[in-house]
Structures are given as structure tokens and as C-alpha cells.
Amino acid sequence: MGHSTLGIAHEGPPGYGHGGMSAMLLDEVMGRACVAAGMPGLTVSLRMRYHRPVPLETPLRIFGRVAGTDDRKISVTGSITNQEDPAADLVTADGVFATPDLRRTRALFPDLQGES
């Protein structure tokens, strides 16, 4: 889970956050949910559903959880809510992440050679 407050730099429609910011926040928190579950992964797909506008200058709660796994494929869900009303989803997402094999990871990210 994460917390954020979007400011004027993140504005899309007047007074509300740009949808791309919601996607970025959910992608990040859902990826961290994979890591917390012991299965770090890279985003394969992210399906967003915008239920209500995300207000600026309002504390938000961003939640992500691993919903299931199939070999290297990780299914993740996420949501953004207003901290004052966590039962009302502003944005929800379903994602698929994939854990790359170590050899492939080293090829994609050569600067990580010394890290495990």
C-alpha cells in the first residue's frame, strides 16, 4: 500500500489528476506487491478502470495485491481511493507481471550485473 497527494503538476481535467498519473501510481504499487510477495516482476499488461475523477490536493491510498500466479506470470489487482473514504474506488486496475529469468534480466539490465 502507498499514499500520495497529487498536486497541480499532475492535473488533467481542471481540479483533478491526469489519468496517466493514476496508471503510474498503480503500476508502481502493484509491482511492489509482487516484490513483497517474493516474486519481483516486470509489467506485461495493465488494464485501468476510471470510476471517479481523482481529486488534486487530497490524500490518496494506493493498494496493490498479488491475486495469483502461474509459473512466471503474476496476476495483480490494485485500487486508488480517497483516504477519507477508502470504500469508494476512484480507479481500479488488473495487471499481469512476469518474473524474468536471471539470465534474461542480466541481458536487459546490464548495470545490475553485481546485484542478485
Side-chain angles (χ1 to χ4, degrees), residues 56-87:
L56 298 179
E57 304 301 336
T58 301
L60 303 171
R61 177 181 160 266
I62 306 99
F63 181 75
R65 78 171 183 86
V66 172
T69 62
D70 181 13
D71 192 31
R72 292 179 27 235
K73 183 172 131 181
I74 309 159
S75 298
V76 188
T77 61
S79 63
I80 298 176
T81 64
N82 181 319
Q83 281 188 12
E84 291 180 12
D85 188 7

Side-chain angles (χ1 to χ4, degrees), residues 34 39-42 44 68-75 96-105 108:
C34 293
M39 301 170 288
L42 302 172
V44 173
T69 62
D70 181 13
D71 192 31
R72 292 179 27 235
K73 183 172 131 181
I74 309 159
S75 298
V96 175
F97 289 68
T99 300
D101 64 46
L102 187 55
R103 185 178 66 250
R104 188 97 197 255
T105 301
L108 289 170

Side-chain angles (χ1 to χ4, degrees), residues 1-4 20-37 39-46 48 62-66 76-80 93 95-97:
M1 179 170 36
H3 300 276
S4 183
M21 289 304 301
S22 297
M24 185 271 307
L25 290 169
L26 282 165
D27 183 51
E28 183 66 23
V29 169
M30 291 165 69
R32 290 183 183 268
C34 293
V35 171
M39 301 170 288
L42 302 172
T43 309
V44 173
S45 67
L46 193 60
M48 309 295 299
I62 306 99
F63 181 75
R65 78 171 183 86
V66 172
V76 188
T77 61
S79 63
I80 298 176
V96 175
F97 289 68

